[in-house]
């Protein structure tokens, strides 16, 4: 995260995701996420309904935590590098392939908003200026966080965005990025929202990784709360955005095997907020995805793995596809 800098979300005591609490929470969480909860509770394929059973089976092949196949090598991709590497980005053929002439998402517009910008730290005056987010005034943007080894959130978000673009274009979608490190800084959070609005996007996803305390692990999806103040009116997008977010959370669990956040969201992987300009000013369905915590060494090992980022991109994209196909 994001707009208030590392440590915004106060660390909370870690919750055990097993036992009676998990069973209780399972009643509150949707779809495939329920499958994960069932799997976590019983340590194996669950005995729930059909969707839960299918998801639990999928989870069983990729147990929660660290799928061994994606653990980065000690000398591998954790060291920061100035230039893209094979590990850093999808192959040119994948990232430059023309959108499918047809596909299930033909005619659909998806806007991907890679959080922050690798150049923000060189433009602190510009990104610190205040912008109107309807409910409040807030900084234009922030630099974002990084792993302890210096892998920047802004590089992470761009990499996942490129992988998602390739996956969604394969499905026939028209994909637009709010920034592609093709501008010195920003855009500001209000402009990020307006880019999605102007594109008449069918879905917008803002990509982030958190900067919370060590020991805080897992992903969460941030949903817009109902806001009606100044230029902000989210009332029409609260419902569809929740649907989008629930589908992304469920597919993220299914594809990555990662658990929902253990420090926000009460184990659901879903958090509702009213203080983010990128959500407040959106007039189209939009969520943020905090893919993991860069300041936790185990999460950082995932976030710095290209193989894991590909899974994250696929999980989020699968959620978008599910939402757009209804
Ligand atoms: Zn962020």
């Amino acid at each position: 995260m994001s707009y208030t800098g590392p440590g915004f979300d106060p660390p909370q005591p870690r919750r055990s995701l097993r036992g009676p609490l998990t069973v209780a929470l399972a009643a509150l969480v949707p779809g495939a996420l329920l499958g994960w909860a069932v799997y976590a509770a019983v340590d194996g394929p669950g005995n729930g309904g059909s969707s839960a059973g299918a998801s639990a089976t999928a989870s069983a092949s990729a147990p929660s935590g660290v799928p061994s196949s994606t653990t980065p090598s000690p000398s591998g991709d954790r060291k920061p590098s100035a230039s893209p590497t094979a590990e850093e980005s999808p192959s040119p053929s994948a990232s430059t392939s023309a959108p499918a002439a047809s596909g299930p998402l033909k005619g659909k517009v998806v806007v991907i908003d890679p959080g922050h910008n690798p150049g923000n730290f060189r433009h602190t005056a510009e990104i610190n200026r205040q912008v109107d987010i309807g409910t409040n005034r807030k900084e234009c943007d922030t630099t974002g966080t990084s792993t302890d080894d210096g892998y920047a959130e802004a590089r992470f978000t761009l990499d996942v965005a490129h992988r998602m673009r390739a996956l969604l274009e394969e499905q026939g979608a028209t994909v637009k990025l709010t920034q592609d490190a093709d501008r010195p800084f920003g855009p500001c959070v209000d402009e990020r929202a307006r880019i999605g609005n102007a594109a008449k996007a069918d879905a917008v996803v803002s990509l982030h990784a958190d900067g919370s305390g060590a020991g805080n692990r897992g992903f969460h999806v941030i949903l817009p709360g109902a806001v009606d103040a100044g230029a902000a009116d989210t009332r029409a997008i609260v419902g569809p955005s929740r649907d989008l977010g629930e589908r992304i959370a469920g597919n993220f669990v299914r594809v990555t095997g990662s658990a929902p956040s253990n420090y926000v969201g009460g184990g659901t992987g879903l958090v509702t907020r009213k203080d983010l300009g990128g959500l407040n000013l959106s007039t189209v369905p939009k969520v943020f995805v905090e893919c993991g915590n860069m300041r936790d060494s185990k999460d950082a090992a995932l976030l710095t793995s290209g193989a894991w980022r590909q899974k994250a991109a696929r999980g989020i994209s699968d959620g978008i596809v599910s939402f757009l196909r209804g």
Side-chain angles (χ1 to χ4, degrees):
M1 193 68 199
S2 147
Y3 302 122
T4 51
F8 171 80
D9 295 314
Q12 299 172 8
R14 295 188 64 172
R15 295 181 178 88
S16 168
L17 287 169
R18 297 174 187 273
L21 176 60
T22 301
V23 175
L25 288 171
L28 304 175
V29 298
L33 200 51
L34 174 61
W36 180 86
V38 170
Y39 170 75
V42 302
D43 274 332
N47 55 1
S50 57
S51 67
S55 298
T57 301
S59 295
S61 65
S64 62
V66 185
S68 59
S69 62
T70 62
T71 303
S73 62
S75 60
D77 48 0
R78 292 195 62 183
K79 75 172 187 287
S81 61
S83 59
T85 64
E87 174 70 9
E88 177 74 13
S89 23
S91 67
S93 62
S95 62
T96 60
S97 60
S102 62
L105 298 191
K106 182 176 172 56
K108 299 292 188 183
V109 177
V110 177
V111 170
I112 304 172
D113 177 36
H116 316 285
N117 179 317
N120 275 0
F121 74 96
R122 287 191 293 266
H123 296 272
T124 51
E126 291 94 334
I127 67 167
N128 284 336
R129 80 178 175 84
Q130 301 275 301
V131 298
D132 186 350
I133 66 164
T135 52
N136 200 350
R137 292 181 66 78
K138 223 167 169 182
E139 294 80 11
C140 155
D141 204 358
T142 64
T143 58
T145 188
S146 69
T147 66
D148 289 346
D149 289 345
Y151 179 64
E153 180 187 359
R155 283 180 53 206
F156 170 83
T157 64
L158 276 173
D159 182 80
V160 175
H162 294 157
R163 295 172 189 274
M164 285 177 57
R165 179 171 60 190
L167 292 166
L168 291 164
E169 285 182 346
E170 284 174 8
Q171 299 289 313
T174 298
V175 179
K176 181 179 178 62
L177 271 57
T178 58
Q179 59 94 10
D180 198 2
D182 51 355
R183 49 188 293 162
F185 63 91
C188 296
V189 294
D190 55 343
E191 185 182 350
R192 288 175 186 267
R194 289 184 185 114
I195 290 170
N197 299 344
K200 296 183 167 54
D202 296 288
V204 185
V205 173
S206 187
L207 299 172
H208 292 265
D210 213 350
S212 188
N216 289 339
R217 294 200 60 193
F219 79 93
H220 63 279
V221 179
I222 304 175
L223 314 173
V227 166
D228 179 19
D233 184 356
T234 60
R235 291 171 295 177
I237 68 161
V238 164
S241 298
R242 171 167 284 274
D243 185 16
L244 172 64
E246 288 177 349
R247 291 171 191 262
I248 288 173
N251 281 281
F252 198 92
V253 167
R254 179 179 59 80
V255 178
T256 67
S258 292
S261 170
N262 67 5
Y263 60 99
V264 289
T268 65
L270 302 171
V271 175
T272 299
R273 287 175 62 169
K274 299 181 179 180
D275 63 323
L276 298 175
L279 294 179
N280 286 0
L281 298 174
S282 184
T283 58
V284 293
K286 181 172 181 179
V287 299
F288 280 37
V289 182
E290 295 279 2
C291 295
N293 175 19
M294 298 200 110
R295 294 295 183 177
D296 176 82
S297 61
K298 289 182 175 140
D299 270 13
L302 300 175
L303 296 163
T304 54
S305 158
W308 189 86
R309 290 195 297 272
Q310 184 65 25
K311 290 185 178 182
R314 188 156 63 83
I316 298 167
S317 297
D318 283 358
I320 294 170
V321 172
S322 169
F323 172 73
L324 293 179
R325 297 191 73 177

